Amino acid sequence: MLEQLKEEVFQANLDLPKYGLVKYTWGNASAIDRESGLFVIKPSGVDYETMKASDMVVVDLNGNVVEGELRPSSDTATHAVLYRYYQEIGGIVHTHSTWATIWAQAGLDVPAMGTTHADTFYGSIPCARYLTQEEIDRGYEVETGKLIIETFEERGLDILAVPGILLHGHGPFTWGKDAKSAVMNSVVLDEVSKMNLFTRELNHFAKELPQNILDKHYLRKHGKYAYYGQK
Amino acid sequence: MLEQLKEEVFQANLDLPKYGLVKYTWGNASAIDRESGLFVIKPSGVDYETMKASDMVVVDLNGNVVEGELRPSSDTATHAVLYRYYQEIGGIVHTHSTWATIWAQAGLDVPAMGTTHADTFYGSIPCARYLTQEEIDRGYEVETGKLIIETFEERGLDILAVPGILLHGHGPFTWGKDAKSAVMNSVVLDEVSKMNLFTRELNHFAKELPQNILDKHYLRKHGKYAYYGQK
Amino acid sequence: MLEQLKEEVFQANLDLPKYGLVKYTWGNASAIDRESGLFVIKPSGVDYETMKASDMVVVDLNGNVVEGELRPSSDTATHAVLYRYYQEIGGIVHTHSTWATIWAQAGLDVPAMGTTHADTFYGSIPCARYLTQEEIDRGYEVETGKLIIETFEERGLDILAVPGILLHGHGPFTWGKDAKSAVMNSVVLDEVSKMNLFTRELNHFAKELPQNILDKHYLRKHGKYAYYGQK
Amino acid sequence: MLEQLKEEVFQANLDLPKYGLVKYTWGNASAIDRESGLFVIKPSGVDYETMKASDMVVVDLNGNVVEGELRPSSDTATHAVLYRYYQEIGGIVHTHSTWATIWAQAGLDVPAMGTTHADTFYGSIPCARYLTQEEIDRGYEVETGKLIIETFEERGLDILAVPGILLHGHGPFTWGKDAKSAVMNSVVLDEVSKMNLFTRELNHFAKELPQNILDKHYLRKHGKYAYYGQK
């Protein structure tokens, strides 16, 4: 069942430690098959060194296991909420990658200070507020997903133009058209988090990238006038 | 004698350089067999590249060598004190890992600023005071063990809920139910030490994680209501 | 066609991730054959793990593809402008390497604070201004090349004595007598960017290297009185 | 000639990039045979990836080549001065390792802030002044060696108790009883340079290690009461 997707999700999960985003089992990647409405996600707390593609768990959009011996990631409900709300998302990644988590712990949006950022994220990457006690009681993981939606709605952000978010005191979620691009967006987010922190340390008066260069770089790679890559 | 435990302790010691916690021979891991009251520890100053499982030294709870050709770690007496006092500890690790040592040199507790911390440590990780001249004269390694106990007693901390400590001007000790989990706790301690340092640099007003989120994350992974992992 | 040069450019591109300067496809290296007036450059957005020497694209000095199945790097026009203007340049590299990009985002020249810098760069490495809207409209990549020339002309710098530049909000370009030396200059630039940032953090009053030591180190490796290396 | 020593020096030079102290050819290690009064040193500017043990150059105490096809390191004269003056030194290493060089660029001694430092260096690691113009004219490399001696004499330091120094604006030299221990001292110096920088950033009021703990740790590993390791 969804063997091809399992392989993709498995590879995406292996890419997390490969790119230095994850130690031990502190992360998870998933991807959805829109036709069947089912998504595939990493099992919870399984060692990356022994994990196999066939360990990936198939889940429906309510977070119920459809196939698999193992329990899915404890963050499965957050993934499900996002897949239900945003039809354009094909893959989701959650990590505690060092530099993005530092911004999450600081409770700050990551501003667009360079073209490395602008090539992938069209503007600041938001940091969502803490969950309230009421929300935690209602269901931590589902409410985390709803908070991501709330944050994007309130700020009027396009989910694919800004393919990631920080959760205050926790860490990043990123997404994309598939699991692979969600991983890449996590790599970019961590790298710009690192670069922006030290840019500020080097020059407290450093400003965000001017809007026209942000536009130029984002649109060089995205949309109908893009001219980067082979298509 | 205790061949299985020797293998586990050997692997735990190899994991220290693998996770970037140790250079050369600057660290040691041990684990105890509660039935016999004997523990297994790394030999002192032996190169990680040539060390074998059979080089591990078997020691009793007074720190006397029971089996082994080599001298045990110079920190053996500290391990012995902790194993004697805390029945619930199965493995102990000592390193000079970069970021935890930086907090130890700064003489500061590591505050819980994020869920990466809360997933493993239930609150601040204490930094113990320097040893006094009298304690150094009495026996540096034994007194280090006693100081760890004193610090936990004075603060009323649960030894497994906060499975690690910093020694002022020195570095971290961590522990767990076995050698493998003691290593993992060292990895977590070093990572949160790094993240918290830069969180403060990025935002001097960054606060500790709210108590309710600390509770939620710790209890998601620990205790009878835990729902992380496969059991 | 230019098979030897393709191989050199291919290797130079592989060296970018090897030296930690590039993640994914965020960089490009090229080299020119002065006899034919053609240069070889990495294709745009091709995965480093599957890229082959035969994927390199041959381009003329107007940036038109002369041979190759793939589209050349989106930065090809910048390379072309530099090769046209500076006959002494044989290879060019562009990256978003972490520490050089941090200085570029901060909008600051990298001062010569040590002999690691002086061994390769004879004085400060300039940071060029942002492009204006008019320049962006006229052609982002061509104008980037022109801005590099403008910056060197205005400051009266020798293109080989200071073989690199930062573009404000973007990242570094470096060059050299061939692709390999352009890569090395990128490595040096990133390393001195890192060291200088932390030198300033450690000592806000740290000064630039005295002129006589800058001279000594630069001339030990460059020019007719050089006595470093095997020739 | 001195084949065993060549092998040791070759291995020591390979260890420099392995421990992250050196990129390209930015470093050199040597070791002396006291019986013949000859020392073996890395050739100048030879790629670490193609270098062989037989490429090592044999030099006398005046820095003249006795055997070898290649030119010795450009820093050979500095090594010679130190070997001549200090009979107790068996190996010398020079690098531009990142964190030690940062302290050198900042022009600051590295204070003993923790036991990682005290295990190897008995007190602060000095930073020598810049060379004067007169000294540069007289001979940069010879005068660098003399400046190291001057600095140790003026401060009344024991060359083996503090087996390293920083040169202002340049980088570190370390030494030891042989090439291998000189490399290890470079590793320690770079690591404590990193830890001390961030200790200060974390706590501007962090103090040096108390003298009694410095004594305890240094003497645990050195001198006749040492009880670390296997002898």
Side-chain angles (χ1 to χ4, degrees), chain C residues 139-156:
Chain C
Y140 187 74
E141 293 78 12
V142 165
E143 296 295 324
T144 295
K146 288 187 182 170
L147 175 59
I148 293 173
I149 295 168
E150 172 196 307
T151 307
F152 270 68
E153 296 284 311
E154 272 185 13
R155 304 204 189 190

Side-chain angles (χ1 to χ4, degrees), chain A residues 191 201 212 217 220 227 229, chain C residues 25 44 98 133 140-141 201:
Chain A
E191 179 68 8
E201 293 204 357
N212 56 353
H217 268 265
R220 204 162 78 136
Y227 57 97
Chain C
T25 61
S44 182
T98 307
Q133 185 58 49
Y140 187 74
E141 293 78 12
E201 292 204 358

Side-chain angles (χ1 to χ4, degrees), chain C residues 48-98:
Chain C
Y48 280 76
E49 290 174 12
T50 58
M51 199 167 63
K52 304 182 300 293
S54 57
D55 291 335
M56 300 300 108
V57 185
V58 181
V59 182
D60 69 21
L61 280 171
N62 295 312
N64 300 314
V65 174
V66 174
E67 189 205 61
E69 302 284 308
L70 299 166
R71 282 160 64 168
S73 164
S74 57
D75 294 310
T76 297
T78 310
H79 292 241
V81 169
L82 295 176
Y83 283 129
R84 268 204 312 263
Y85 194 83
Y86 295 111
Q87 293 299 317
E88 55 272 61
I89 291 180
I92 298 174
V93 164
H94 171 53
T95 75
H96 291 196
S97 73
T98 307

